[in-house]
Every structure is written in structure tokens, then in C-alpha cells.
Amino acid sequence: MRDGDQTRRFEQLVLPHLDAAYNLARWLTRNPEDAEDVVQEAALRAFRYLAGLRGESARPWFLTIVRQTCYTWLRNNRPPAEVRILDDDGFDLVAATAGDGGDTPEAQVSRIEDRTLVNRLLAGLPVPLREVIVLRELEELAYREIAEILAVPIGTVMSRLSRARARLRADLVRDLGDAGHGL
Amino acid sequence: MDCDHARSQLPLRLDGALAPEAAAALDDHLARCPSCRRACQDLQTLSAALRGHADRFTAPTALRSRVLADLAAAAPRRRPAGIGRWSDFGLGAALAASVMLAVNLTLAPSRPPAGPMADQVISAHIRSLMEGHLIDIASADRHTVKPWFNGRLDLAPPVRDFEAQGFPLVGGRLDVLGQRPVAALVYRRRLHVINLFVGPGDGTAGLDETGPVRGYTVLHWNDGGLACWLVSDVERAELIAFARLLRSPPPAQ
Ligand SMILES: [Zn+2]
């Protein structure tokens, strides 16, 4: 009886977030098959630890497990440089947001309407920056929830988001520069 | 409010995370500062582009059913009357047959001794046939078995199913050979159990054969930096045929 309850609880609480889980895993592993393997493993772990989910929202709880499983996979399958820990303290939030915002030509930012370009820019971010963008812009999680998933203070989430956005803008400018005079 | 402070608060403003007074102060600055206003638009455009144009992948149906299958397997279940999974009878019968065979052959007159490693492989095979030791992860789906080894071993064994050729995948477990952890993949041939052990490569070229010793044939080869040992009490010719399948290049994805 209790086992049936646990399965039903999993189906009600965790299963609705399978898309979010797959999206995160897909963006972090950048490979459809590996993302499936990671999510499957994470779902099984979530099922086993389901008793540990009490009261809090299931989505950040499940995504925490998915992210940890992704990192284990990345450590085993990718060069260490790709998952290195960011030096959050060494990053100047004000400089990142103040520097180039007003200088990016309007025309270039509007070019970001292009789907292929957006995907390439996001995929090109280092993993720790890519994941905050995926969680914030694609999954639309609150800062507080992202902080919970990453196990970092909210201030760190904000600074990583700014850093990620600054990097995206810079890459966009560089990318369009490389592409020549297509505007 | 100076521009630096305004810029640092922009994301918060756009995310609705700013207290009302702070938001009012920022709006006031934006109304008077074209440069910060442009930075604000820039940020909005970037955010809208990501939300509107970056792929948001959805879980494939196959993944969903794999997860559901895992649940069914992971939840300790009461046995439904009259219905058994293959593990309840098919493998049970295979185990009973194999264990009996193992016991009989152990008592049989001694045969030529196997090499030390082949001996360990045979012992591990017999040990695996004891009740409850054969599989840690029961699944005929290689997508279930393969990721199970992630984080449990520092090597990734290739996992393939050969059901179509009469060697269905049954599951996997962790085992130990030569004091090293190895992956054990379990296949069936009719009522016989076949163990495929995969460990760190040892540079053996070609296919080594030991046996039949005590009724068991052991085949050994290296593949892509991994050492493989195949062991079973099936006919030698069948085990060799299976080894050939395992060593054949996987079909293109
Ligand atoms: Zn300003």
C-alpha cells in the first residue's frame, strides 16, 4: 500500500517536471541521449529519496537532483575545465552591467531574434553560466529557487546571471563581427 | 542615484524583485538617463530573445516510459496473483537449472585447471547464480542498464541487447574480478545465464579461450580499452557466436 502511495506521489509531484528536468539536462550535456540517461537516473534517485521531499516545492527539489546527476556525468565525460567552479568573488557585478549596455548597437541586439544564433550563444556559455540562464530565462524560476538548486546565496545567483548576460552580449557582438557585414 | 547603481539594479527591476521604493527611484533615474534606458532595453531584448528563441526541450515519450518502467521495477511490489514478470519464472528456472548444473559439475571429476583469471571469472559466474546475487539492476533496456553504472564505476561498459539474435539482456550488477570492481552484464540463452564482465583493459590482442572447465567456457578479449570476459555453461560454439556479436561494431545511430 505504502509503495503504491509513493509511486502515486512521484507521479503527482515529480513527473510534471520531467520536461524541465530534460531541458536542463539537455542544455548541460548538450546531447539528447546523454540527457535522457541523466534524467532517467535522476528520476530514479528522486523516487528513492521522495520521503525527503516535505512541504517545499517539488520542482527546485527535483531539479537539484537533476543538476547533481548532470555534474557527475559532466565530470566523468567532459574535460575538467568545462565544469570548473567559478570565482564568484573575482567578478565585478557593476562593471559587467555598466560597461557595454549602452554601447551595443541597437541593430546587433535586434539580430538576436535568430533562433540558431540564440541557441549557439547559449550553448557557448560555460556550464555554470549556462545553467543560470536556463533556470532563469527558460524555466523562469525565482532567484530564491535557483539559489536553492545551486546551493549558493541569492547574491551569487544574481551576479552569475549578470555575468552570463554580459558574456552573451559580448559574444553576440563578436559573433556578428566575425560574420562580416550581414546587417 | 548614479548610473552604476542603476545598472546593478536593472535586472532586479526586470525580474520584479525590487522593493517598490527602490523601483520608483530606479524608474526616476531611467526617465532622466538615456544611456541607462538603452541598457534596460538591451537587457529586455536579450531576455525576450532567450525566452522566445532558445530551444526549450521537452522530454521524449520514450524517456517518460523508461522512467515509469523504473518506478514499476523500483517499488517493492506485491506479486499480482497469476501474473509474473519473466524474473519470477523464466529467470527463476534458469537459475535453478544453472545452480544445479554448477553443483553437479563441481562434484564431477577434475578437468584441466583454468588460468587464475579464468578461474576467478568462473567463480564469479557461479557466485552470481546464487539466489539474489545475479542482478542489481533488472532491465532488458540498455538505456536503463548503462546509466546505472554511472558513478558506480570509473568505466562505462558498452551495453547492447541481442534479443533478436537469441541473447536477451537481463540486467547488470557490480562485481569484483582480480580485486578490481567490474561491470557485470547478464544475458540469457534459453535457460542458461551468460555473464559478461567488463573491466579496465589489459592489452590482450585477439580472442582467448579457456575451457570448457567444469562445464564452463570463458572467452576473453579487449575492446576499446576495456577487457571483456564472457562466461557461461552454454555450448562453446554458441558462446563464441555470442562473443562475435559482442565484438561486432554497434549499428550506426
Ligand atoms: Zn544612468
Side-chain angles (χ1 to χ4, degrees):
Chain A
M1 289 302 173
R2 255 193 56 234
D3 303 326
D5 284 350
Q6 190 177 337
T7 304
R8 215 166 20 252
R9 197 158 169 255
F10 184 91
E11 285 171 2
Q12 284 168 359
L13 293 177
V14 180
L15 221 47
H17 309 299
L18 204 64
D19 281 343
Y22 180 73
N23 188 43
L24 177 62
R26 178 76 188 261
W27 274 110
L28 293 191
T29 63
R30 288 188 293 181
N31 176 305
E33 287 191 352
D34 295 330
E36 284 195 44
D37 289 349
V38 162
V39 171
Q40 185 177 10
E41 168 78 12
L44 197 55
R45 285 169 68 187
F47 182 68
R48 293 205 181 107
Y49 304 141
L50 196 55
L53 173 64
R54 302 183 182 281
E56 72 260 46
S57 167
R59 194 155 74 128
W61 178 83
F62 183 37
L63 290 180
T64 304
I65 298 175
V66 172
R67 175 178 177 271
Q68 284 167 354
T69 313
C70 276
Y71 269 74
T72 304
W73 184 91
L74 288 168
R75 269 186 224 108
N76 290 334
N77 295 279
R78 291 272 191 267
E82 190 159 334
V83 279
R84 75 187 181 287
I85 305 301
L86 284 184
D87 177 14
D88 289 303
D89 294 337
F91 175 67
D92 185 349
L93 174 62
V94 172
T97 42
D100 52 3
D103 306 333
T104 309
E106 190 79 12
Q108 290 195 339
V109 176
S110 69
R111 255 292 285 273
I112 201 168
E113 291 292 305
D114 177 59
R115 163 165 237 105
T116 317
L117 175 59
V118 173
N119 283 328
R120 188 171 63 235
L121 290 176
L122 182 50
L125 285 182
V127 170
L129 298 183
R130 201 187 312 148
E131 68 182 354
V132 289
I133 292 288
V134 170
L135 293 171
R136 176 67 206 143
E137 302 286 17
L138 271 53
E139 295 306 327
E140 303 191 22
L141 292 170
Y143 291 153
R144 179 182 43 75
E145 293 175 308
I146 300 173
E148 184 189 328
I149 293 170
L150 271 55
V152 297
I154 286 186
T156 304
V157 172
M158 286 159 43
S159 80
R160 283 193 197 167
L161 268 171
S162 295
R163 191 172 176 176
R165 286 165 173 153
R167 170 80 183 259
L168 283 171
R169 275 198 304 268
D171 288 352
L172 174 69
V173 170
R174 190 211 55 210
D175 206 278
L176 294 176
D178 288 350
H181 318 282
L183 293 183
Chain B
M1 181 182 290
D2 63 22
C3 288
D4 281 354
H5 186 57
R7 299 287 172 90
S8 73
Q9 296 214 308
L10 275 179
L12 298 175
R13 177 81 185 91
L14 296 175
D15 290 329
L18 220 50
E21 316 84 66
L26 178 58
D27 289 352
D28 190 50
H29 177 86
L30 288 178
R32 288 179 289 103
C33 176
S35 166
C36 283
R37 211 156 53 232
R38 212 159 38 238
C40 182
Q41 278 165 1
D42 197 50
L43 212 51
Q44 278 174 308
T45 308
L46 187 64
S47 180
L50 287 163
R51 288 175 189 219
H53 298 291
D55 287 331
R56 182 172 189 257
F57 299 99
T58 54
T61 318
L63 172 61
R64 205 169 286 271
S65 35
R66 274 158 57 191
V67 168
L68 290 173
D70 279 356
L71 294 195
R77 60 203 169 274
R78 287 166 299 133
R79 192 164 306 191
I83 303 172
R85 286 154 32 91
W86 59 262
S87 56
D88 292 330
F89 51 94
L91 187 64
L95 281 181
S98 298
V99 170
M100 267 168 58
L101 196 59
V103 170
N104 285 343
L105 286 162
T106 312
L107 298 176
S110 58
R111 302 281 179 100
M117 200 57 185
D119 242 330
Q120 288 200 30
V121 169
I122 293 173
S123 301
H125 177 71
I126 295 174
R127 204 166 53 233
S128 78
L129 300 176
M130 305 299 171
E131 172 103 53
H133 286 274
L134 186 62
I135 36 189
D136 292 330
I137 168 87
S139 174
D141 184 351
R142 63 189 182 87
H143 294 294
T144 307
V145 177
K146 188 173 171 59
W148 183 84
F149 287 104
N150 278 354
R152 291 182 168 88
L153 274 179
D154 32 349
L155 54 87
V159 181
R160 294 162 72 185
D161 183 30
F162 295 95
E163 178 162 34
Q165 293 89 350
F167 298 91
L169 175 67
V170 173
R173 70 172 185 284
L174 290 183
D175 214 317
V176 176
L177 276 185
Q179 297 174 330
R180 297 176 112 162
V182 296
L185 299 168
V186 182
Y187 293 87
R188 254 187 322 148
R189 176 68 166 173
R190 297 185 304 276
L191 289 183
H192 301 273
V193 170
I194 302 174
N195 268 294
L196 171 63
F197 297 98
V198 182
D202 55 17
T204 303
L207 183 69
D208 266 3
E209 185 185 346
T210 308
V213 179
R214 294 180 283 162
Y216 297 99
T217 304
V218 179
L219 300 175
H220 171 50
W221 69 91
N222 272 240
D223 188 8
L226 295 173
C228 302
W229 293 270
L230 193 64
V231 57
S232 179
D233 58 359
V234 295
E235 288 291 329
R236 173 180 170 275
E238 288 193 317
L239 200 64
I240 290 175
F242 187 39
R244 199 172 299 131
L245 284 173
L246 289 165
R247 300 177 76 193
S248 66
Q253 300 277 343

